[in-house]
Amino acid sequence: MAVDTGIFVAITLVYLAATIALGYLGYRQTKESDDYMVAGRKVNPVVLALSYGATFISTSAIVGFGGVAAQLGMGMIWLTVLNIGLGIFIAFVVFGKKTRSIGSRLQAVTFPDLMGKCYGSSFMRYAAGIVIVVSMPLYTAAILIGGAQFITSTLQIPYTTALIAFAAVVALYVVLGGLIAVMYTDALQGGIMLVGMTILLALTYVQLGGVIEAHTALAAMSDLVPEALAAGGMTGWASMPALGSPIWLTLVTTLVLGVGIGVLAQPQLVVRFMTVKDDRSLNRAVLVGGPFILMMTGVAFTVGALTNVYFYRTDGVIALAAATGGNIDTIIPNFINASMPEIFIVIFMLTLLAAAMSTLSSLLHAMGTSLGFDMMRSGSRGASMKRIQVATVVMIVVSVILAFIMPGSIIARATAMFMGLCASAFLPAYAHAVYSSRPSLLAAKLSLVAGAAAWFVWTAFVHVKESEALGLSNLLFGVPAILPMPWQAVDPLVVALPLSIAALAVGLVLDRHEVAVEESAGAA
Amino acid sequence: MFGIPDPAIWIGYLLALGFTIACLVYGLLNWNNGAEEQRDGS
């Protein structure tokens, strides 16, 4: 972005100094492993809400998904509906309270630990830990790459330096300060994001002549939809794609349902429910969390779609044509660069940096605790903070290496893939664990294995956007996807989650049958 | 509504705003509910 690098460097240094100071505060307050892993279970509700929201919303949610809204239109608002309705309200009120009370009673400190203790099973702990340790580095690498690309283009420094410096700064406060440092810095970053997105929305509507005029102008552009998109079912930027068309399937199954439901079972978010001392804190956090998410994804998707009006008025082209090299990730930055005052460009850059850092820090912490506490734990309950810190460093190094070797084609898919896998593998077993007084281990095992396996098979062999990039289907069957359209456009979550729920139900029936047989044998 | 002709879009906006208001109302109504002392005492 064309902005005075000196001003940005100065503001970034102030921001980094504040971040390091908060990280140091976290370090000072971290005395034992419970502080390191669940922030001592005494986090302020506003800090919880901002931390949850800032972790939830990465740079890719603003720039990447905002770019998707520029391409596919306002239908993305349905993802915001799920983000607030499921991702905040249901997550906090239905899952959060149960998770907090059970986590506190069982003294659980991580998501795999919670699953292991609810089911009284080290299998569940290891299985959840393995899914995290194997899949989360891919998502983390994508966040690292996005952040490094952004720093490179903004500060004009080499990509390798940007990537390593970005990882090193975040690693410093995650490794030393644990979850207290992560959540304190998240809260600062969430505050910056809130300011940045609020100004973005206001200036966009001012720029386009007001709310109604901007929307009316967007609706009037429907005849400008490119032929290829129109053939895929797109009808305009202020209307939904044709029902059942490939673009409708992608919008509804991958973007709205895949990402919207996926958020419910993300380990780095679930652990936050266990950081507060009572339900009152969760009630209060809901009040902050709902408006926060509205101002993140709601603004990104609305502004994303409206960039079409701006580019059409100024350059006579749609947003897609204004994307650098056809990359839709550049639409929002290009729009801001072209239309906003320089001071806001700096604020928005800081917003993106904050969004990347808050998500990255939480992922590093979740991976480190999973490896160091859940996977490497010996028989005793005692957790060695040193071991968790070393494990966190290991996971950071793995993620950085992955960021250097991961192909560009898979990066953009990483967020939706990670969320889809989490929901497919964990959601039914997690819901069963917190809502059943005697959860069935057999049902949970079946659900976790069936969900993860179904997600993998559909991802590697059917959902063409991933299967083509992964190349397994091509290697084994000589085709990028083994099923025809429209199946290729159906997200893995839409298939894997119902299978995971069905496997849970089968497990429950089998378990009850076993108990009934044992009881009748006992009676005889 | 809001200058958007397709109900499938403006209903989405209404729901997004509605859920946000629900979060605000829920938070306000339960501002003091579920405190640690209260729970222990019950």
Side-chain angles (χ1 to χ4, degrees):
Chain A
M1 281 189 251
V3 66
D4 187 334
T5 310
I7 297 174
F8 182 62
V9 169
I11 292 179
T12 304
L13 286 177
V14 172
Y15 159 71
L16 285 180
T19 303
I20 297 297
L22 286 170
Y24 180 71
L25 195 64
Y27 167 71
R28 289 292 303 271
Q29 292 181 8
T30 300
K31 307 282 183 217
E32 52 190 50
S33 59
D34 265 17
D35 296 330
Y36 195 85
M37 289 192 283
V38 282
R41 300 187 201 275
K42 55 189 177 202
V43 167
N44 177 284
V46 176
V47 172
L48 167 68
L50 289 175
S51 170
Y52 187 96
T55 299
F56 191 157
I57 305 299
S58 62
T59 313
S60 124
I62 297 171
V63 171
F65 283 60
V68 172
Q71 183 187 24
L72 300 182
M74 287 178 152
M76 285 291 284
I77 196 64
W78 284 97
L79 176 54
T80 303
V81 174
L82 262 66
N83 286 158
I84 304 167
L86 285 183
I88 296 293
F89 196 81
I90 299 293
F92 276 72
V93 176
V94 176
F95 286 94
K97 290 183 180 180
K98 279 281 183 185
T99 303
R100 190 206 62 76
S101 65
I102 293 172
S104 171
R105 179 164 51 81
L106 299 178
Q107 288 296 294
V109 288
T110 64
F111 179 73
D113 192 34
L114 178 78
M115 295 289 269
K117 282 176 173 163
C118 280
Y119 287 104
S121 156
S122 54
F123 170 87
M124 290 304 288
R125 191 182 79 224
Y126 279 117
I130 286 170
V131 172
I132 292 170
V133 169
V134 171
S135 69
M136 208 180 263
L138 296 171
Y139 179 33
T140 309
I143 302 285
L144 271 170
I145 293 167
Q149 284 173 346
F150 160 72
I151 295 166
T152 299
S153 65
T154 309
L155 299 179
Q156 311 294 320
I157 57 175
Y159 177 76
T160 307
T161 313
L163 200 153
I164 291 173
F166 179 42
V169 169
V170 178
L172 180 71
Y173 66 81
V174 175
V175 173
L176 294 178
L179 197 57
I180 299 179
V182 170
M183 291 183 79
Y184 281 176
T185 51
D186 279 355
L188 168 72
Q189 289 150 355
I192 292 170
M193 290 159 70
L194 197 54
V195 171
M197 296 306 281
T198 305
I199 298 174
L200 175 63
L201 182 71
L203 289 184
T204 301
Y205 279 129
V206 168
Q207 182 82 245
L208 300 180
V211 175
I212 304 292
E213 184 170 337
H215 294 172
T216 308
L218 185 67
M221 289 176 67
S222 57
D223 54 340
L224 296 170
V225 171
E227 264 179 44
L229 289 175
M234 188 165 160
T235 59
W237 288 277
S239 53
M240 285 295 281
L243 187 71
S245 64
I247 290 182
W248 185 91
L249 283 171
T250 300
L251 180 72
V252 173
T253 69
T254 297
L255 299 167
V256 176
L257 294 177
V259 179
I261 297 173
V263 78
L264 279 177
Q266 284 191 52
Q268 76 278 16
L269 295 179
V270 171
V271 76
R272 275 161 174 70
F273 299 136
M274 300 192 279
T275 63
V276 289
K277 66 175 180 180
D278 53 22
D279 286 352
R280 183 174 68 176
S281 303
L282 292 173
N283 291 336
R284 293 179 175 185
V286 169
L287 183 139
V288 181
F292 180 85
I293 297 298
L294 178 74
M295 292 311 294
M296 294 298 120
T297 64
V299 170
F301 303 158
T302 304
V303 170
L306 290 173
T307 56
N308 285 287
V309 178
Y310 175 81
F311 286 118
Y312 188 63
R313 282 184 185 169
T314 54
D315 305 328
V317 297
I318 61 168
L320 210 49
T324 311
N327 180 3
I328 59 170
D329 288 357
T330 63
I331 294 175
I332 296 264
N334 285 352
F335 164 70
I336 287 165
N337 199 29
S339 68
M340 300 287 163
E342 189 167 302
I343 183 64
F344 179 70
I345 299 176
V346 174
I347 292 171
F348 190 72
M349 284 174 172
L350 210 56
T351 300
L352 294 186
L353 190 61
M357 287 177 76
S358 54
T359 305
L360 181 64
S361 62
S362 305
L363 294 176
L364 296 181
H365 181 267
M367 291 189 300
T369 52
S370 284
L371 181 66
F373 180 73
D374 299 309
M375 308 286 291
M376 295 166 63
R377 185 166 15 146
S378 51
S380 65
R381 195 203 153 263
S384 155
M385 216 162 88
K386 189 75 78 188
R387 190 177 63 216
I388 298 163
Q389 288 173 314
V390 171
T392 307
V393 172
V394 169
M395 293 311 297
I396 291 166
V397 171
V398 168
S399 302
V400 170
I401 293 171
L402 263 179
F404 277 117
I405 60 175
M406 253 169 63
S409 54
I410 200 78
I411 294 163
R413 313 293 312 160
T415 304
M417 282 173 71
F418 175 74
M419 293 193 180
L421 173 61
C422 282
S424 307
F426 299 141
L427 188 54
Y430 167 49
H432 182 50
V434 295
Y435 269 96
S436 174
S437 53
R438 282 182 56 214
S440 159
L441 176 60
L442 174 68
K445 281 180 176 174
L446 286 177
S447 170
L448 196 149
V449 172
W455 178 87
F456 176 77
V457 169
W458 201 268
T459 299
F461 298 103
V462 182
H463 197 229
V464 72
K465 282 184 177 161
E466 280 103 27
S467 64
E468 199 168 24
L470 289 171
L472 262 180
S473 178
N474 215 14
L475 188 73
L476 294 177
F477 303 107
V479 285
I482 58 172
L483 292 182
M485 284 300 261
W487 298 109
Q488 294 178 4
V490 174
D491 192 76
L493 173 100
V494 175
V495 176
L497 182 58
L499 278 175
S500 182
I501 294 169
L504 186 89
V506 169
L508 285 173
V509 171
L510 288 175
D511 232 8
R512 272 188 203 155
H513 178 69
E514 211 168 279
V515 170
V517 169
E518 277 171 15
E519 279 173 358
S520 60
Chain B
M1 191 177 275
F2 310 127
I4 301 166
D6 186 357
I9 301 291
W10 60 254
I11 288 171
Y13 273 94
L14 277 184
L15 278 175
L17 290 170
F19 276 127
T20 304
I21 293 166
C23 286
L24 285 168
V25 170
Y26 182 88
L28 285 174
L29 289 179
N30 293 286
W31 188 255
N32 283 318
N33 290 343
E36 196 174 34
E37 299 75 18
Q38 189 179 328
R39 191 168 48 82
D40 290 343
S42 62

